[in-house]
Amino acid sequence: MPWVVSISAESQLTGLFYDFNEKVAGSGFVIRTDGHIVTSQHLVQDSTEIKVYLSDGKTYDASVVGQDELSDLAVIKIDAEGLPTATFGNSDDLRVGDWVLSVGNALALKGSPTVTLGIVSGLDRTITIESGTYYGLIQTDAAINKGNSGGPLINLQGEVVGINTAIIKESQGIGFAEPGIVGIPGLRI
């Protein structure tokens, strides 16, 4: 998937005795040929530096152009043109048992994105985790690991039907994806 990207974000945290930098890894996908990329808001929130790594090996600095904490979605922008873009499916058409793929920068492993296969295990799920409560999620058993946040959940036609958002640390084989993109007029997955 040439439109799936890896993302690293660095932020400065204030400690009790000293400040320190925290670096996190995640995923995203290109939604416009001019460099607009969707990712998870928790990945880029309060970042001092964001790097985007394309599948062709190019690296770009990125900036946040929009974010929504409630849905944990953000749009970042890189200075590039002519990029391949994702194709969107309709998450409203998903049924429990449909096959899906999770694509992303799992565990920040070097090389191309990791792809895992699973099914839609549940729809319209609500979960509460340390970063907040999320509603209307797609539950899947396609492996979603640290670093997959912001990456696409894809149907077997290669269309994006969700954005990988969360896992529950105590569970195995349960991940969650956001079914829509909030804050982008006219765009609903």
Side-chain angles (χ1 to χ4, degrees), residues 74-184:
V75 176
I76 61 175
K77 171 86 169 72
I78 62 174
D79 189 18
E81 293 290 335
L83 298 175
T85 60
T87 303
F88 296 94
N90 188 342
S91 60
D92 292 338
D93 293 340
L94 287 176
R95 296 173 304 171
V96 172
D98 284 350
W99 289 97
V100 287
L101 302 161
S102 173
V103 183
N105 185 20
L107 306 173
L109 298 171
K110 298 291 183 199
S112 60
T114 299
V115 179
T116 58
L117 175 67
I119 62 168
V120 173
S121 305
L123 295 167
D124 199 26
R125 297 291 199 215
T126 299
I127 63 167
T128 300
I129 55 176
E130 58 192 47
S131 58
T133 300
Y134 301 98
Y135 303 92
L137 299 176
I138 301 163
Q139 180 183 329
T140 182
D141 68 352
I144 296 174
N145 294 290
K146 198 170 188 170
N148 277 107
S149 286
L153 188 69
I154 301 170
N155 63 22
L156 293 184
Q157 289 72 48
E159 301 166 326
V160 177
V161 292
I163 300 97
N164 297 323
T165 300
I167 57 174
I168 298 176
K169 292 178 185 174
E170 303 83 34
S171 69
Q172 290 184 351
I174 299 176
F176 298 92
E178 192 60 58
I181 299 177
V182 177
I184 303 174

Side-chain angles (χ1 to χ4, degrees), residues 41 44 50 55 73 75 80 133 142 152 164:
Q41 190 262 349
V44 297
I50 303 169
S55 63
L73 296 174
V75 176
T133 300
N164 297 323

